[in-house]
Amino acid sequence: MEIGIVGLPNVGKSSLFNALTGAGIAAENFPFTTIEPNVGVVPLPDPRLEVLSEKNKSAKIIPAGIRFVDIAGLVKGASQGEGLGNKFLSHIRAVDAVAHVVRFFRDENVIRVLPELDPMKGVDIVETELLLADLQQAEKALEKVQKIAKSGEKEARDKQLLLEGIVKAFNEGKSARMQNLPMEIINEFQFLTGKPMLYVANADEDGVSPEALKPLQERARQEKACIVVLCTKLEAEIVELPAEERAAYYQSAGITTPGLARLAQAGQELLNQVCFFTSGPKETRAWLIPRGTTAVKAAGKIHTDIERGFIRAEIHQYDDLIKYGSYSAIQEKGLLALEGKEYEMQDGDVVHFRFSV
């Protein structure tokens, strides 16, 4: 699953991607630096990995990762093809969720698309283009279904009524999220404004004032979105430091949760994913799966052979391991569960899959 990074040109999208992945992609000071989307996997920090690794004397640790896609900047008129808009919109349509970067930083050396620094106007431009693209999508679908509905087919008539309501709401400026459309409808018509959303407030090094952030917070509340405030320039500079110097910097600055860690965690929540673990002498590894995934499908995340030959899953909870101190103590307490194919995996499950091929 992937999160697309969107926003106006020169708001800090590519700098954020550089910080997230260390990929060193182009971040020059002009619009449309990014033409093809860059993809990077960002490790998800999880202190549980260190504990499991220590208890099982693992040779290595492999964290789970959140996939971020850097999509080139949208401009006014993108829904009509302006600024390579059609291509960019197709890239957004392909991702599972959206991280909308909003410029709050003041830097006269970085060209602004807008005459003045106006975060909410920037948000409105991007959201309007996505909404207009969705309106076009809905109108085309409505036109097709109206022809079928003329024959009296009930399913087509029901869908016509649904689409007429959606088109009306889009014309009133209501996104698919604000309409609370079911995910099956959002996915069927690939509505951009129905994708899960988080706003990344790209701030100066000293942050954003509560007063300046308030309008974005209100918009996020209406759209059931969340906000992460960080300084992409600072985060990108910190990533270039050796790991031990990064830790020292955060400690000296009194930062307990770095901005990128907060963004990765927000990404996990945005995609509604849970994390399970496998742990042994060879490695301790975290695996991200959609909430509600069954044990047999989680096994397939590791290897298709394990899914095909699934027998059972031996599962204990990480919290129980911390509470009782050892795997043997968990067994003695009867807290080691043997689960079948239909068991829904929970966040913090530590699992050993039994299989035969």
Side-chain angles (χ1 to χ4, degrees):
M1 300 184 81
E2 296 179 334
I3 299 176
I5 304 173
V6 306
L8 291 177
N10 289 4
V11 295
K13 298 182 309 301
S14 294
S15 296
L16 174 60
F17 189 82
N18 288 349
L20 286 166
T21 64
I25 60 168
E28 280 83 5
N29 180 23
F30 54 88
F32 309 124
T33 298
T34 309
I35 303 301
E36 295 299 330
N38 297 282
V39 180
V41 179
V42 183
L44 183 67
D46 195 324
R48 295 176 293 186
L49 285 166
E50 294 285 349
V51 176
L52 287 170
S53 176
E54 186 178 328
K55 287 188 177 294
N56 291 294
K57 297 180 171 56
S58 303
K60 61 181 178 179
I61 293 174
I62 304 176
I66 300 289
R67 289 172 64 88
F68 282 88
V69 182
D70 180 30
I71 297 171
L74 285 169
V75 295
K76 190 173 182 178
S79 60
Q80 304 298 322
E82 292 294 327
L84 307 179
N86 291 333
K87 193 171 187 179
F88 299 164
L89 290 169
S90 71
H91 291 154
I92 300 170
R93 204 162 264 127
V95 299
D96 302 287
V98 175
H100 183 169
V101 181
V102 184
R103 179 170 175 170
F104 280 84
F105 68 88
R106 296 181 179 277
D107 187 342
E108 296 306 318
N109 295 317
V110 179
I111 299 168
R112 286 191 305 265
V113 174
L114 301 174
E116 301 294 333
L117 181 62
D118 190 339
M120 295 314 298
K121 187 171 183 180
V123 168
D124 286 339
I125 289 173
V126 172
E127 291 296 307
T128 297
E129 294 307 322
L130 298 183
L131 192 64
L132 288 172
D134 280 354
L135 176 61
Q136 291 174 10
Q137 197 90 335
E139 287 175 335
K140 287 177 185 176
L142 177 59
E143 189 177 336
K144 287 181 182 178
V145 82
Q146 281 173 332
K147 294 176 183 177
I148 303 170
K150 286 179 181 177
S151 67
E153 184 182 307
K154 184 180 184 305
E155 186 178 341
R157 287 172 60 193
D158 289 344
K159 188 158 282 188
Q160 177 182 340
L161 287 172
L162 172 69
L163 284 166
E164 284 173 348
I166 291 172
V167 167
K168 182 176 183 290
F170 282 156
N171 276 314
E172 292 171 351
K174 295 177 183 175
S175 68
R177 282 187 302 278
M178 293 177 74
Q179 294 180 53
N180 293 315
L181 295 179
M183 282 310 299
E184 56 265 27
I185 296 297
I186 289 169
N187 292 334
E188 180 181 355
F189 298 108
Q190 294 185 302
F191 289 145
L192 301 173
T193 62
K195 292 181 183 293
M197 164 80 77
L198 74 86
Y199 289 105
V200 181
N202 189 8
D204 293 306
E205 291 189 24
D206 54 359
V208 181
S209 71
E211 190 68 24
L213 194 61
K214 192 173 180 180
L216 185 60
Q217 289 174 323
E218 177 58 25
R219 182 168 192 134
R221 185 190 63 78
Q222 292 176 359
E223 297 194 334
K224 300 179 179 64
C226 61
I227 300 175
V228 175
V229 180
L230 50 76
C231 173
T232 61
K233 180 183 176 184
L234 179 62
E235 296 288 346
E237 289 172 356
I238 293 171
V239 163
E240 294 179 357
L241 298 173
E244 62 276 9
E245 290 185 28
R246 283 183 230 162
Y249 174 85
Y250 288 130
Q251 187 174 5
S252 66
I255 298 173
T256 54
T257 307
L260 297 186
R262 286 186 282 109
L263 183 60
Q265 289 160 358
Q268 180 186 350
E269 293 171 11
L270 191 69
L271 295 172
N272 197 24
Q273 295 193 327
V274 296
C275 183
F276 76 90
F277 304 96
T278 53
S279 185
K282 184 179 178 182
E283 68 179 31
T284 289
R285 184 164 183 166
W287 305 85
L288 282 181
I289 52 174
R291 190 177 299 279
T293 298
T294 60
V296 67
K297 290 299 181 184
K301 174 87 173 181
I302 298 173
H303 200 286
T304 53
D305 285 348
I306 305 177
E307 180 180 0
R308 188 168 63 249
F310 183 96
I311 299 172
R312 66 177 182 271
E314 298 177 0
I315 295 175
H316 66 273
Q317 261 286 322
Y318 171 84
D319 288 344
D320 288 334
L321 180 65
I322 298 304
K323 184 175 181 178
Y324 297 108
S326 69
Y327 180 76
S328 58
I330 286 174
Q331 288 179 302
E332 289 172 12
K333 295 284 184 181
L335 296 172
L336 179 65
L338 301 179
E339 303 289 357
K341 291 182 177 181
E342 299 308 312
Y343 169 78
E344 286 191 7
M345 300 293 290
Q346 303 297 310
D347 191 79
D349 279 348
V350 184
V351 59
H352 177 67
F353 291 109
R354 296 288 184 184
F355 67 102
S356 177
V357 291

